[in-house]
């Protein structure tokens, strides 16, 4: 029986519609990477359905890129614009260890979006800077610089000196170092401290043995702080750590102890710390992070006795960003859980 032309056209249209539904047009996925760091685009290879696009972190996202599914962020000031306009985003890879800027822009409320951090990318640089601050404190390099600027000879810091005097932080050898916030950075720092003869203990939310170091729960701080020559703080920034080092805990530290903070400025009660230093109730402090950055000109910390101001310089240079992105891309395309999901 012959099929009428009308029926044939209808059947053909039905077939084409079904085929189109089963085989939708091929679409390439877009990944946007920031121009705020030297990014090796050639390292992101082996993904034929992916195109890479640089973007300015201080300008609105171009209209041609707002349909991107993946956004890599670093020192962005345009995240509010991205949140308002990039409705097809499925994954944000922050290169910061703590992506507070991404969360505060509104992305924390998007349930269909995965946010991953740059945890691990700053371990070596922050560990190195922390070691430098500890050595500067122990060897009094800040005092030497102050005398140099005055054209004076700091004779009290040179010549014959007592070897590891009791009740003083003058060397890392036999120094009792407590690292509060014992994560990847602490694990990177610890071998250098041990090599210089220090004794290292950790404090964290959960106790245990990590890389051979005993880590105590935070409820043990009243016992740990009085036995500490230098307290290294690498706490994350969240409401539970606000003013974690307060006046009460500062009073538990020995009079000669130093505080080094390379975590988050919000973790230290700055007024209480400055008061303890100016009153001579604490040996000194080296701070790389502050509640307000840049540190305001009127801040009392500029003139606080025995305080080293470091301008959030410990990190700032993510290492291995491309490797992390490739690893997470593989997992993302395979439908697997990504690394460093918050």
């Amino acid at each position: 029986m012959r099929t009428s032309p009308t029926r044939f056209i209808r059947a053909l249209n039905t077939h084409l519609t079904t085929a189109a539904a089963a085989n939708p047009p091929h679409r390439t996925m877009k990944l946007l990477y920031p121009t705020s760091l030297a990014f090796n685009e050639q390292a992101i290879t082996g993904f034929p359905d992916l195109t890479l696009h640089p973007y300015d972190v201080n300008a609105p996202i171009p209209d041609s890129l707002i349909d991107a599914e993946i956004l890599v962020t670093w020192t962005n000031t345009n995240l509010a614009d991205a949140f308002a306009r990039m409705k097809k985003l499925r994954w944000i890879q922050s290169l910061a260890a703590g992506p507070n800027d991404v969360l505060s822009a509104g992305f924390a409320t998007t349930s269909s979006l995965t946010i991953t951090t740059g945890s691990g990318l700053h371990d070596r640089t922050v560990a190195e800077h922390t070691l430098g601050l500890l050595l500067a404190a122990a060897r009094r390099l800040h005092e030497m610089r102050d005398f140099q600027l005055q054209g004076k000879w700091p004779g009290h810091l040179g010549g014959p000196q007592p070897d590891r005097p009791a009740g003083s932080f003058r060397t890392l050898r036999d120094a009792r170092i407590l690292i509060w916030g014992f994560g990847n950075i602490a694990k990177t720092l610890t071998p250098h401290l041990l090599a210089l003869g220090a004794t290292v203990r950790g404090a964290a939310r959960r106790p245990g043995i990590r890389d051979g170091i005993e880590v105590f729960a935070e409820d043990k701080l009243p016992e740990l702080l009085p036995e500490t020559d230098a307290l290294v703080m690498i706490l994350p920034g969240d409401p539970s750590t606000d003013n974690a080092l307060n006046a009460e805990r500062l009073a538990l530290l020995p009079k000669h102890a130093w505080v080094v903070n390379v975590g988050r400025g919000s973790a230290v009660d700055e007024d209480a710390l400055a008061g303890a230093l100016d009153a001579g109730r604490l040996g000194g402090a080296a701070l790389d992070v502050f509640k307000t950055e840049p540190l305001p000109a009127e801040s009392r910390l500029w003139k606080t006795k025995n305080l080293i101001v470091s301008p959030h310089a410990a990190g700032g240079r993510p290492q291995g960003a491309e490797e992390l992105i490739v690893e997470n891309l593989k997992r993302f395309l395979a439908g697997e859980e990504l690394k460093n999901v918050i």
Side-chain angles (χ1 to χ4, degrees):
M1 185 172 82
R2 294 180 60 190
T3 302
S4 69
T6 301
R7 289 181 178 177
F8 176 79
I9 292 173
R10 287 176 181 172
L12 179 60
N13 286 338
T14 300
H15 172 75
L16 293 175
T17 301
T18 302
N23 301 283
H26 178 75
R27 185 175 183 276
T28 301
M29 187 178 298
K30 293 180 181 177
L31 180 151
L32 310 190
Y33 67 86
T35 57
S36 51
L37 80 163
F39 189 84
N40 181 10
E41 185 174 316
Q42 300 302 315
I44 315 297
T45 59
F47 304 97
D49 296 334
L50 182 75
T51 57
L52 306 181
H53 306 269
Y55 75 99
D56 185 347
V57 298
N58 298 312
I61 303 296
D63 290 340
S64 61
L65 299 179
I66 60 171
D67 60 342
E69 294 89 347
I70 306 170
L71 180 68
V72 180
T73 66
W74 177 244
T75 67
N76 290 58
T77 62
N78 61 354
L79 290 176
D81 171 74
F83 175 70
R85 298 170 58 229
M86 300 186 73
K87 301 304 182 181
K88 294 187 178 181
L89 273 180
R90 296 169 56 196
W91 165 35
I92 293 180
Q93 173 66 68
S94 170
L95 301 183
N100 295 335
D101 54 349
V102 174
L103 301 177
S104 61
F107 288 110
T109 63
T110 307
S111 59
S112 60
L113 179 70
T114 299
I115 301 174
T116 54
T117 76
S119 177
L121 303 183
H122 306 271
D123 295 351
R124 294 182 180 179
T125 55
V126 177
E128 183 179 85
H129 197 78
T130 306
L131 180 62
L133 292 176
L134 285 167
L135 288 169
R139 308 303 297 192
R140 302 300 191 264
L141 300 184
H142 60 293
E143 285 190 49
M144 296 179 188
R145 179 66 174 176
D146 289 345
F147 272 76
Q148 177 184 340
L149 293 176
Q150 301 175 60
K152 296 180 180 179
W153 182 260
H156 65 291
L157 297 175
Q161 298 286 326
D163 181 37
R164 290 165 288 170
S168 180
F169 179 52
R170 294 285 179 170
T171 175
L172 285 176
R173 186 180 179 192
D174 295 333
R176 301 167 298 177
I177 309 296
L178 176 63
I179 303 178
W180 188 3
F182 207 93
N184 290 333
I185 294 172
K187 293 176 183 178
T188 303
L189 171 64
T190 296
H192 300 288
L193 297 176
L194 296 176
L196 290 171
T199 299
V200 179
R201 296 191 292 185
R205 291 171 182 169
R206 293 182 299 276
I209 302 297
R210 306 183 190 179
D211 286 13
I213 300 299
E214 187 169 10
V215 178
F216 297 84
E218 292 178 337
D219 61 5
K220 296 295 184 181
L221 284 171
E223 302 171 26
L224 299 171
L225 292 175
E227 301 174 350
T228 297
D229 296 314
L231 172 65
V232 176
M233 300 185 63
I234 321 179
L235 292 173
D238 60 53
S240 69
T241 64
D242 284 351
N243 289 329
L245 186 62
N246 52 24
E248 180 182 358
R249 284 172 169 157
L250 282 166
L252 295 174
L253 287 165
K255 190 176 180 180
H256 68 271
W258 273 69
V259 172
V260 175
N261 187 17
V262 293
R264 289 291 180 266
S266 58
V268 173
D269 183 332
E270 293 177 346
D271 284 335
L273 175 65
L277 289 170
D278 284 335
R281 297 192 302 270
L282 194 66
L287 307 180
D288 185 56
V289 286
F290 303 87
K291 290 183 183 295
T292 301
E293 296 181 3
L295 188 63
E298 64 273 15
S299 172
R300 66 181 293 190
L301 296 178
W302 290 112
K303 302 296 183 181
T304 297
K305 180 181 178 182
N306 287 335
L307 191 147
I308 299 173
V309 172
S310 172
H312 206 140
R317 48 187 76 80
Q319 298 178 339
E322 293 86 357
E323 289 84 350
L324 176 61
I325 293 170
V326 167
E327 174 63 25
N328 267 343
L329 267 173
K330 292 177 181 177
R331 298 185 181 203
F332 181 75
L333 296 175
E336 301 174 353
E337 183 177 356
L338 308 187
K339 291 184 63 175
N340 301 341
V341 175
I342 61 171

